[in-house]
């Protein structure tokens, strides 16, 4: 039964791999299955040999559980490694990992005693040498104290080694993810600390004649305070913006928090504030590719194309294998009129990731600008197939048909783009052009008015408005401007 339940526990949370060792601690106390020999006996005496035999028997009893934990450890490591979650020694050198271990242990203990400045993500911070040395010294002193008191207060040793041992898989020796530590790692290890506290207080208060009058209200007050603090902490998880703003405030050098806060603000339309946090993320972590792409995306949407190009180019330099950076840079080059360069960059993006919608969408725009309508149509249709809910591919598909003079077919795609995104300015204008060429001036005028309401300075819509007023409809063969870019670059938080 224990074997099956441990297997289920490991399936739910692989850090339970240390549970067999916890069982050995419980064998010592409180179960009393492993008794220490007399303190004044020699190691060769019979009591010592008997104790060693009992310890070996108890250890052998745990072998099936240890085998299960070992198998879970191997599977977890392979899965994390294949998913790219395990950091390399180049990214996090061994000396940095070792120095971070005592810091993490000390921080976990401090936050257990005084739960302040809790955050969803704790970044790695380069600390002066004396801090890990001091933390290691403090941990060593505590370990020595609990070992010295093991006969009189065995619960201290059990609780302490429970805490130390259960954190080993997540203490950073094998670095999984980008976090230096995580509050969620402690909910089982801290049971050991609470064992030390609960039995320690009871033991200390045995001689107090008024211990109930003191400890009961003190315990109630402690639980009440913890409840208030927990309710406050839960409130920070109400939405993305609140969560990441709190993380940015509670920690330092947290590029991830600033980047994700920027993404939350950008979704709310607060572009200037989002821009500030993206810039802060890049300042704190210059090699942060997602922040570079997000910062470039906001600058792109503000028509600050030269600045956006700098960040997209840097993202590509940091990781030449990421298609997103090429797709974003290609969109910027299109807007800068550097279409030949844009074509090369966007073709590279589509080759790196054939399923990246933005690569096909932006490539369709660049091809349209060069008059390569058939190839543009192929990439626009591919983008529409990859994401049928996106309006831009439909708009670009209609644009290719529009340039070829196939206005009825183009109108179908412009209508679909507007169904998916009713405020699509360019789709309103180009659908109006199609309608005007077919003599549907009234419906064309309605779409022109909507385009100008959304974008009063849209030159093509103004041109159509003048044609409607003059009563002169453009011929299907009259050269008209190709639809503008229907996709904007965006990185992922």
């Amino acid at each position: 039964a224990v074997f099956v339940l441990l297997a289920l526990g490991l399936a739910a949370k692989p850090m339970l791999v240390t549970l067999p060792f916890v069982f050995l601690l419980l064998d010592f106390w409180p179960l009393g299955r492993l008794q220490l020999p007399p303190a004044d006996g020699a190691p060769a005496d019979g009591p010592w040999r008997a104790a060693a035999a009992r310890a070996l028997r108890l250890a052998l009893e745990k072998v099936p559980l240890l085998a299960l934990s070992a198998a879970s450890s191997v599977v977890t490591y392979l899965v994390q490694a294949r998913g790219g979650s395990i950091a390399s020694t180049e990214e996090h050198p061994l000396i940095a990992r070792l120095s971070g271990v005592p810091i993490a242990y000390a921080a976990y203990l401090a936050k257990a005693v005084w739960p302040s400045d809790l955050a969803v993500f704790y970044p790695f911070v380069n600390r002066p040498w004396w801090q890990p040395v001091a933390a290691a010294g403090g941990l060593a002193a505590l370990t020595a104290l609990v070992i010295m008191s093991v006969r009189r207060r065995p619960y201290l040793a059990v609780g302490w080694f429970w805490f130390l041992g259960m954190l080993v898989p997540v203490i950073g020796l094998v670095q999984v993810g980008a976090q230096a530590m995580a509050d969620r790692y402690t909910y089982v290890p801290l049971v050991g600390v609470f064992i030390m506290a609960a039995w320690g207080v009871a033991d200390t208060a045995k001689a107090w004649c008024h211990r109930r009058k003191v400890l009961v209200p003190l315990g109630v007050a402690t639980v009440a305070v913890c409840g208030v603090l927990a309710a406050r902490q839960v409130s920070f998880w109400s939405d993305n913006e609140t969560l990441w703003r709190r993380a940015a405030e509670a920690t330092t050098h947290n590029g991830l928090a600033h980047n994700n806060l920027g993404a939350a603000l950008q979704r709310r339309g607060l572009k200037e504030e989002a821009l500030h946090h993206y810039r802060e993320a890049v300042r704190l972590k210059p090699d942060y590719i997602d922040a570079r792409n997000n910062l470039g995306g906001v600058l792109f949407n503000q028509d600050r194309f030269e600045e956006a190009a700098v960040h997209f180019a840097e993202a590509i330099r940091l990781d030449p294998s990421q298609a997103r950076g090429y797709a974003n840079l290609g969109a910027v080059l299109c807007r800068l009129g550097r279409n030949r360069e844009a074509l090369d960059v966007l073709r590279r993006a589509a080759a790196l990731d054939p399923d990246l919608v933005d690569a096909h969408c932006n490539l369709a725009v660049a091809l349209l600008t060069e008059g390569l309508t058939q190839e543009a149509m192929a990439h626009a249709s591919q983008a529409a197939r990859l994401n049928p809910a996106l309006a831009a591919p439909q708009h670009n598909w209609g644009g290719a048909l529009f340039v070829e003079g196939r206005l009825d077919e183009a109108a179908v795609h412009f209508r679909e783009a507007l169904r998916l995104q009713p405020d699509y300015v360019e789709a309103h204008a180009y659908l109006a052009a199609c309608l005007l060429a077919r003599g549907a001036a009234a419906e064309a005028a309605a779409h022109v008015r909507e385009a100008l309401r959304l974008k009063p300075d849209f030159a093509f819509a103004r041109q159509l408005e003048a044609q409607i007023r003059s009563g002169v409809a453009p011929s299907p063969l009259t050269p008209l401007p190709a639809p503008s870019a229907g996709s904007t670059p965006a990185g992922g938080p």
Side-chain angles (χ1 to χ4, degrees), residues 74 196 271 406 412:
V74 171
M196 297 171 70
K271 295 180 181 178
R406 297 157 62 180
V412 171

Side-chain angles (χ1 to χ4, degrees), residues 107-359:
Y108 285 134
L109 275 177
K111 289 183 182 296
V113 174
W114 190 258
S116 63
D117 291 335
L118 304 181
V120 64
F121 179 83
Y122 298 97
F124 282 96
V125 178
N126 291 325
R127 300 179 184 275
W129 65 268
W130 61 266
Q131 290 189 6
V133 170
L139 292 171
L142 282 172
T143 303
L145 286 173
V146 300
I147 290 175
M148 290 167 59
S149 63
V150 68
R151 293 180 182 277
R152 291 181 298 109
R153 293 184 172 87
Y155 53 83
L156 292 179
V158 169
W160 183 244
F161 288 111
W162 178 316
F163 169 71
L164 292 181
M166 289 212 78
L167 275 174
V168 167
V170 292
I171 205 62
L173 294 174
V174 177
Q175 182 59 41
V176 178
Q179 70 282 343
M181 52 184 283
D183 297 338
R184 65 184 181 277
Y185 290 159
T186 63
Y187 60 90
V188 180
L190 282 178
V191 171
V193 175
F194 298 141
I195 286 173
M196 297 171 70
W199 269 266
V201 169
D203 208 3
T204 303
K206 277 192 302 187
W208 298 0
C209 58
H210 299 294
R211 61 182 178 274
R212 289 186 180 275
K213 293 180 181 179
V214 174
L215 294 181
V216 169
L218 182 61
V220 171
T222 301
V223 171
V225 170
C226 287
V228 171
L229 292 175
R232 180 171 181 267
Q233 186 64 23
V234 167
S235 71
F236 294 130
W237 291 74
S238 58
D239 56 69
N240 283 347
E241 181 181 342
T242 306
L243 179 68
W244 292 109
R245 191 182 295 280
R246 174 60 182 170
E249 293 169 351
T251 61
T252 58
H253 300 87
N254 201 333
L256 178 72
H258 284 285
N259 177 64
N260 288 1
L261 176 56
L265 293 166
Q266 187 177 355
R267 281 191 287 271
R268 285 186 55 205
L270 303 175
K271 295 180 181 178
E272 285 302 321
E273 194 176 350
L275 189 66
H276 164 74
H277 286 286
Y278 287 146
R279 287 193 189 280
E280 184 66 7
V282 169
R283 184 187 70 81
L284 293 170
K285 192 173 171 55
D287 61 347
Y288 194 172
I289 294 172
D290 285 341
R292 291 276 182 188
N293 278 324
N294 287 338
L295 175 55
V298 175
L299 294 169
F300 179 96
N301 290 327
Q302 293 179 343
D303 294 342
R304 295 158 70 175
F305 302 125
E306 294 286 357
E307 290 181 73
V310 170
H311 292 288
F312 292 144
E314 179 63 12
I316 292 172
R317 188 192 68 79
L318 291 168
D319 182 7
S321 66
Q322 51 125 1
R324 168 74 60 186
Y326 287 99
N328 290 345
L329 181 59
V332 171
L333 293 173
C334 278
R335 293 299 182 94
L336 291 171
R338 295 155 61 181
N339 293 319
R340 293 290 180 180
E341 294 176 69
L343 281 175
D344 292 339
V345 170
L346 290 167
R347 285 193 170 112
R348 172 76 170 157
L352 284 170
D353 186 356
D355 293 334
L356 182 60
V357 176
D358 282 354

